[in-house]
Amino acid sequence: MAASAHSVVCTHDEAKRVIVDELVKNIQQNLERVTGITPAEVIKGGSLGQGTAIPGDFDLDLVIYTDSISELDIRHSGYSMRRWTDLLDIFLQQTLGRKYQPQGKTDCAVQFIYNDKIGVDLLISPNWRSLREFYTFLLGTPACCRSNEIQCLHCSMASPLLPALCQR
C-alpha cells in the first residue's frame, strides 16, 4: 500500500528533526571542550527550528547563548563577533568533519550546510540577564557600529528577552 502524502511529509520532518537534534547535541556536548565557550542555551529558529519547514524549502537558525562572552568582551572587540565566529568555524570543522560544508562567515554568523541537507546560520550571543543589561549595551554602541548586520545580531541576542520586551 502506498504511503499518503501526509505520512511522507511527517517522515521527512522527523528525519530533519533528528538531524537538527544531533547538531544541537554536538554543540552542547563539545563546544566548551574545543573552544572554551560554555553554551548556556542553544535556541533553534528558522523554519526547521520552529517546525514549519516545507519539504525542499527549509533553513535552520541556531543561536548559542553563553556566559563566556560579556558586554565588555564585545566592546573590546570593536563590536565585532568575528573572534567568536572564527572559533565556531574551527569547532564545526573539528567536530563535524564531512558533515560540515562551510558556505560563508559574517561578523555575526557561520553559514554552512549540515549533513548535505540543511542550510544553517549559527550565531553566538552573550546570555543577557535582563532587558536593562541589553538596553544599556545598545545605548553604548557607537553609531559607526550600527550597521544592518550588527542590528540583526542585536535582535538575535535579545530573543530570549523578547517576551518581556513585548509586555512593556
Side-chain angles (χ1 to χ4, degrees), residues 11-69:
T11 303
H12 169 81
D13 289 349
E14 182 57 32
K16 297 293 184 199
R17 267 193 296 276
V18 168
I19 292 169
V20 169
D21 290 345
E22 173 187 274
L23 177 58
V24 170
K25 185 177 180 181
N26 178 58
I27 292 168
Q28 293 168 329
Q29 292 180 344
N30 298 308
L31 186 65
E32 182 177 15
R33 177 181 55 79
V34 175
T35 67
I37 298 169
T38 305
E41 186 173 14
V42 179
I43 302 291
K44 296 182 272 188
S47 59
L48 273 177
Q50 299 302 313
T52 59
I54 299 168
D57 183 23
F58 51 82
D59 72 321
L60 176 64
D61 301 321
L62 292 176
V63 182
I64 300 168
Y65 291 96
T66 179
D67 295 320
S68 302
I69 302 171

Side-chain angles (χ1 to χ4, degrees), residues 96-117:
L96 299 181
R98 290 185 177 160
K99 291 181 180 182
Y100 176 62
Q101 299 168 3
Q103 300 296 300
K105 235 184 330 187
T106 69
D107 234 20
C108 304
V110 177
Q111 300 161 327
F112 61 100
I113 303 296
Y114 178 62
N115 208 19
D116 290 323
K117 294 176 175 62

Side-chain angles (χ1 to χ4, degrees), residues 75 79 134-146 150 154:
R75 290 188 193 284
Y79 295 89
F134 181 67
Y135 184 66
T136 301
F137 168 76
L138 290 179
L139 286 177
T141 304
C144 64
C145 298
R146 294 183 187 155
I150 298 298
H154 292 164

